[in-house]
Amino acid sequence: MADQPESSGFRVESAARDMVVIGGGGHARVVISILRKLRSYRVLGYTDPQDRGPLVGVPYLGSDEELIRLAAAPERLSVAIGVGQVSPGMGRHNLWMRLQPHQLLFPALVSPAAIVNDEVLLGDGSVIMDGAVINCGARFGQGAIVNTNSTVEHDVRIGDWVHVAPGATICGDVTIGDFSMIGAGAVVIEGRKIASRCMVGAGSTVHRDLTEPGVYVGNPARKIQ
Ligand code: JB2
């Protein structure tokens, strides 16, 4: 079978897998653009509690109940979590937990416009967005977002459901715990350890280990909540 065009004019490979995107907001639109560049998925549509009309050319399918209905097809359906920030990390994790009984596939997605060097391990449901650079030996848990133009240096350990926001820099050998978020343009200095459920504000610089959950801002980053 010849390659099939998608509604936007992008073509997908003939062996492309069917894919549904969860969420109808800004993050979902960026994820769909990455899927189009990859060409290895045929995006059937997106789910959302509300019909937001076609999303960058992709049709609305219904709520997540429709996704569960589609999951009953013999071929396992691939799903991309296109919800970014419903209470950092936790919302995406809850969504994932709700969908676990339905035999869906959550492939890691790497934009062709990202650079991922050797010996990098990505967990299921991770998304590496345009312009991100991930260096040798970095490891990610499930559902991580490495957002546009951010840098994750060599041997960094990133837990489950972490979000590295656009333009953030995570230097070598850093460890970031589950559900933490590193804000846009923030910098984490080499070798520092960040506990689970930390939120580092945009533009902050982390010089010391962050040992307890909380919100940290400034240079050096200090706990404010
Ligand atoms: O359980 C859900 C669910 N919860 C919220 N299932 C489905 N299928 N959809 C869900 N949503 C939908 O996600 C909301 O109804 C809404 O349409 C969408 C979230 O859109 P929003 O534009 O508010 O946020 P976002 O997650 O796309 O983007 C955030 O995160 C990105 C990483 C923003 O903060 C962006 O600025 C950021 N770049």
Side-chain angles (χ1 to χ4, degrees), residues 21-204:
V21 175
I22 301 178
H27 189 58
R29 288 165 55 229
V30 183
V31 168
I32 290 167
S33 297
I34 290 170
L35 289 167
R36 289 225 171 96
K37 286 193 285 252
L38 285 173
R39 293 164 42 113
S40 44
Y41 296 97
R42 188 180 302 101
V43 185
L44 302 181
Y46 73 95
T47 59
D48 197 291
Q50 285 183 48
D51 182 352
R52 300 185 185 279
L55 207 65
V56 285
V58 161
Y60 177 62
L61 295 175
S63 71
D64 295 335
E65 292 306 311
E66 181 60 16
L67 174 59
I68 290 166
R69 199 184 64 74
L70 289 170
E75 193 189 339
R76 286 179 78 187
L77 184 65
S78 295
V79 174
I81 302 182
V83 175
Q85 221 138 282
V86 212
S87 74
M90 292 300 288
R92 287 183 293 121
H93 175 248
N94 292 343
L95 239 167
W96 159 286
M97 291 303 287
R98 263 195 281 135
L99 294 171
Q100 279 312 295
H102 300 287
Q103 305 297 315
L104 297 160
L105 297 170
F106 291 86
L109 303 173
V110 179
S111 164
I115 296 173
V116 177
N117 281 325
D118 295 325
E119 297 171 346
V120 168
L121 291 181
L122 298 175
D124 285 352
S126 301
V127 186
I128 313 301
M129 309 195 83
D130 294 349
V133 177
I134 302 185
N135 236 324
C136 303
R139 290 174 182 223
F140 295 79
Q142 293 169 344
I145 300 173
V146 182
N147 222 320
T148 313
N149 281 340
S150 57
T151 300
V152 175
E153 263 301 335
H154 65 89
D155 302 308
V156 165
R157 295 286 179 272
I158 293 210
D160 295 337
W161 310 102
V162 168
H163 180 183
V164 179
T169 302
I170 315 298
C171 296
D173 289 309
V174 163
T175 301
I176 301 177
D178 299 345
F179 302 112
S180 285
M181 173 167 180
I182 311 300
V187 176
V188 184
I189 300 295
E190 184 167 350
R192 299 305 177 261
K193 292 186 170 47
I194 295 181
S196 297
R197 294 178 163 75
C198 290
M199 161 104 68
V200 174
S204 301

